[in-house]
Amino acid sequence: MGKSDFKDPSKLGITQVSHVDGPCLKIYIYRAKNLVAADKNGLSDPYVDIRCGGWRTKTRVIRKTLNPKWNTFVIFPIEHPKGYINTDEDLINFQIYDKDSLGKQKIGNYDLHLNRLNDDGSEFKKTAKLRDVETGTLTFGIEKCNSFDNEAEHVFTSSSE
């Protein structure tokens, strides 16, 4: 999957980061399959809320599907005055919600302990069965970076403020 396959999440209303000077996590959100139908039409309007070490962001909503493809990524700084990620103890929490006009409904979640990441910094890719629901998987990837300079890619992050 090349850089051009990733969606620009600039419409999410979160802060654009063009440079991270120091260690960071690059979290890819590829797709979900066989999600729970939360709407009367037998479909859902899913998005993923991603949290780790005081950082939080979300993907865009994809309307009327049980098999969304986001093909996007976010960058979370590991050491930053507004948030610190302990790569030995912290976890990344992925929560999938159905977006409704009156709010949201949780349709699955998954937690990954960061100590499971590859020591060499290469991408750890996984298709995980969602918890607390009967059906559904989430495919994501995570890699450690020493720094990040946004010359060709769109990078977004936000704190929990």
Side-chain angles (χ1 to χ4, degrees), residues 21-146:
D21 198 18
C24 54
L25 295 176
K26 188 172 186 179
I27 305 168
Y28 300 89
I29 305 295
Y30 294 109
R31 66 184 164 277
K33 287 187 177 180
N34 302 315
L35 294 176
V36 172
D39 296 338
K40 292 179 183 177
N41 63 6
L43 300 171
S44 291
D45 304 315
Y47 68 94
V48 183
D49 184 301
I50 307 126
R51 300 173 190 213
C52 184
W55 297 102
R56 179 181 179 190
T57 193
K58 63 184 177 179
T59 66
R60 64 189 172 91
V61 175
I62 299 181
R63 303 270 179 215
K64 300 179 182 177
T65 185
L66 301 178
N67 300 294
K69 292 181 181 178
W70 291 281
N71 291 329
T72 193
F73 66 89
V74 296
I75 298 293
F76 284 168
I78 292 175
E79 297 175 14
H80 190 275
K82 293 184 179 180
Y84 174 78
I85 297 173
N86 182 333
T87 55
D88 291 325
E89 297 178 13
D90 281 350
L91 55 87
I92 296 179
N93 174 253
F94 301 94
Q95 296 182 41
I96 301 181
Y97 290 99
D98 172 61
K99 173 76 172 160
D100 289 318
S101 58
L102 300 176
K104 61 184 180 182
Q105 176 183 351
K106 187 185 282 188
I107 55 174
N109 69 80
Y110 186 78
D111 294 329
L112 177 77
H113 287 274
L114 293 177
N115 61 9
R116 300 211 32 222
L117 299 182
N118 299 329
D119 289 332
D120 65 0
S122 63
E123 182 180 358
F124 172 90
K125 190 172 180 180
K126 182 173 180 77
T127 298
K129 182 179 180 330
L130 297 174
R131 297 186 178 133
D132 302 326
V133 289
E134 292 181 20
T135 184
T137 62
L138 175 66
T139 301
F140 61 90
I142 304 168
E143 64 183 312
K144 294 179 186 176
C145 307
N146 291 327

